[in-house]
Amino acid sequence: MGKNIIIVMLAALCVFFAAYTYMEHRAWKEAEITPAEYGGLLMLRDAYSAADYREKVLPLVREAFVHGRVTRESLEALGARLNGLGSRTLDILEAERTSERVSRAWDDARDGAAALGESLGRQMGKAMRDLGNAVEGLKPKRIPEDSARRDGRVEL
């Protein structure tokens, strides 16, 4: 009789554990997705062309929203219906973004402008020195005061 009670208790524990596991899994599937996963839904726009997104992807995303939120179960269903999303994601990650190209162009322009400014500064400095020398050459030569006599005559 003791063995029967132990068998019944073990069977009850197994049933309880199975029910608990099922309820926990069901609650996980009905839970709302995380903010990061919502961000992933936003990035679907980049993965598809505008026309494909509007015609094919957006209706599936609308279906995924249940009562104004997306559950894990509906997200899994959406993922199953979006074919080739993994390869598209890899292509997007490897592609150079417009902001990266603009940043690199800005850096190149800044470096080029610095080099241009430095070269321009050197050339302007040289031109100003040459101009100063030319102006010095145009000035009349001063007569030393020793060569002038008091009577107003000058010795040559």
Side-chain angles (χ1 to χ4, degrees):
M1 173 105 160
K3 289 182 183 181
N4 290 342
I5 293 175
I6 292 175
I7 292 173
V8 169
M9 292 291 285
L10 286 175
L13 281 173
C14 288
V15 169
F16 176 75
F17 181 70
Y20 175 78
T21 304
Y22 173 76
M23 295 296 284
E24 187 178 74
H25 182 68
R26 190 74 197 148
W28 182 82
K29 281 187 144 192
E30 291 176 359
E32 187 174 8
I33 63 175
T34 64
E37 291 167 322
Y38 276 117
L41 288 176
L42 287 172
M43 294 307 295
L44 286 175
R45 287 183 171 182
D46 291 343
Y48 295 93
S49 68
D52 284 346
Y53 179 77
R54 289 271 177 215
E55 295 171 6
K56 299 174 184 174
V57 178
L58 191 56
L60 297 175
V61 172
R62 282 192 183 123
E63 286 178 22
F65 275 84
V66 179
H67 306 294
R69 65 188 187 110
V70 178
T71 62
R72 295 196 180 282
E73 185 175 26
S74 61
L75 185 63
E76 286 177 11
L78 174 66
R81 295 175 74 183
L82 293 174
N83 295 329
L85 188 58
S87 62
R88 284 179 185 260
T89 303
L90 181 61
D91 292 342
I92 291 170
L93 289 173
E94 289 176 343
E96 186 176 36
R97 298 184 70 154
T98 304
S99 61
E100 292 170 351
R101 288 192 302 259
V102 168
S103 177
R104 190 174 58 249
W106 180 258
D107 291 343
D108 291 347
R110 185 184 62 223
D111 294 343
L116 175 66
E118 184 179 331
S119 174
L120 186 60
R122 280 194 309 264
Q123 295 299 324
M124 287 297 292
K126 182 180 178 218
M128 292 303 286
R129 281 191 300 275
D130 291 346
L131 181 63
N133 292 339
V135 167
E136 286 294 324
L138 293 176
K139 286 183 180 178
K141 301 225 186 225
R142 289 187 154 188
I143 302 172
E145 292 182 17
D146 297 350
S147 63
R149 294 187 181 178
R150 292 192 180 177
D151 59 358
R153 290 187 290 157
V154 178
E155 274 186 38
L156 296 174

